[in-house]
Amino acid sequence: MPSRVRIAFVFAIIAFCAIVGWQMQLNTAPPLRDETHYWPNAQYLTSGGLPSLEKLRTYSELCTPLSLMLFGWADRFTGGGLPAARYFSLSAVCATLVLFVLLARGPDRRVLPAALCLLAFPYFLGVGIHIYPDSFAILFTLIGLALFQRDLPWFGAIFFALAISCRQYMVAFPVGLALWQIAELIRLKPANERMRAIITSPKVIAGLSGALVLLAWIVFWGGFGPPGEVRRQAVSTAQNSILFYPQYALYGLSCLGLYFALPHWVLFDRRLNLRFVFSLRGVLLMTAITVCFWFFPPQDNFHYEIDNMGYFDRMIRGAVGAHSPVRLIILAAFAWIAAMAFCRRSLASTLVLVHLLMLAKAHIAWDKYELPMLMCLWFLVADQARRPDAVNAGVVAARS
């Protein structure tokens, strides 16, 4: 049973989201930012109720279509137009935070700060006050992760399939869970039992089913998105299946240092272990980060009209300049902080590794792409029933 503090916090979340929706004038504002193309596609997909196979192949977005369909159905069922879709998106974000607080099994002193850190991420409410596909993607991902952590992997797989059908990149989380389970079985089982344990593990099979969902979409389209839109936007990483941008993964790692590793250390650790910082592992990680930033500097987005990579990048560019070496030093420092936080084996580290590999396949780098990863990391922190003994640079080594 949730504590009174959590129940009060939930009501405060709902009230806050309602105030945000009112202040942003969701009823009257014209289509803003990406809504200018998301909304017509939502209407196109649902103009006849359920979309036809032809519509699913020809709508003009790169993301998988489920969120757009949900926004379109919100209009059809209520007659509320774009405002109804916006409120539906805001409700999904609000539900994500409410479920985060109610489902987490840790003590209030960890659950509530973790929830506030997620709320403070600048893109969290941003994807709710507009019709962005991320709002439902993070909701389904949270439910899927919570079900996996409660040994209900097949139900979790259903929600991960829904999440992947909102945003392709959500595949990182079920696959990461499956890889972590494989690693744990290899560690715990005798050599002669490992293969049988892996191929019969519900968590492994259910997690890898996420990859099959994405594969089904790729087969359906003949690529990573609707073919006409992939050609129109000339997405290099979609047109070339072996092309990766390590620069985008490095920027994502820097964002994890800023938005997770550093605030987690401030809130839950606050110890400065100089022996760990200057250990062989710390020096090797710094060397590896330096080499990676030297060969793959995250300077600008490739083949995209917006050079900067999000709020974090804008702040640094404003302070030291767009192409100053100091900018790369700052990014490398935060990447090293994150690398130190995730350098030991844990479920969190496995999810981060797979997530970064997905980012290297993205068509741009953007802070917003860290939202589902941050939601999962903060939930793993909040979901621990007790503070574990193994804390690596302030990051909980969550085990499934």
Side-chain angles (χ1 to χ4, degrees), residues 344-367:
R344 290 179 180 169
R345 63 187 310 274
S346 69
L347 173 56
S349 300
T350 306
L351 293 177
V352 167
L353 177 61
V354 181
H355 168 69
L356 293 177
L357 292 174
M358 292 294 103
L359 291 184
K361 193 61 180 171
H363 66 295
I364 61 170
W366 193 4
D367 297 29

Side-chain angles (χ1 to χ4, degrees), residues 63-92:
C63 63
T64 36
L66 180 57
S67 285
L68 300 176
M69 292 159 56
L70 292 172
F71 297 142
W73 288 332
D75 170 33
R76 286 182 60 85
F77 291 151
T78 66
L82 177 57
R86 285 171 170 166
Y87 282 116
F88 201 30
S89 181
L90 183 60
S91 298

Side-chain angles (χ1 to χ4, degrees), residues 63-67 160-168 170 213 217:
C63 63
T64 36
L66 180 57
S67 285
F160 279 129
L162 295 174
I164 294 165
S165 296
C166 294
R167 293 290 287 182
Q168 292 94 318
M170 300 304 109
V213 172
W217 281 110

Side-chain angles (χ1 to χ4, degrees), residues 62 118 217 241 252 257 263 297 313 356 390 395 399:
L62 293 174
L118 179 60
W217 281 110
S241 59
D313 192 23
L356 293 177
V395 175
R399 299 186 179 277

Side-chain angles (χ1 to χ4, degrees), residues 32-39 63 66-68 71 82 85-86 88-90 92-93 123-138 166-167 366 368-369 371:
L32 301 170
R33 299 182 177 87
D34 288 346
E35 287 181 335
T36 56
H37 54 88
Y38 280 143
W39 181 236
C63 63
L66 180 57
S67 285
L68 300 176
F71 297 142
L82 177 57
R86 285 171 170 166
F88 201 30
S89 181
L90 183 60
V93 168
Y123 291 94
F124 181 76
L125 282 175
V127 302
I129 58 178
H130 303 293
I131 55 166
Y132 278 83
D134 311 76
S135 56
F136 280 98
I138 62 171
C166 294
R167 293 290 287 182
W366 193 4
K368 183 171 75 73
Y369 291 161
L371 174 57

Side-chain angles (χ1 to χ4, degrees), residues 372-386:
M373 185 72 258
L374 290 169
M375 186 270 297
C376 290
L377 290 175
W378 285 121
F379 184 74
L380 289 177
V381 170
D383 197 41
Q384 287 294 301
R386 61 182 179 84

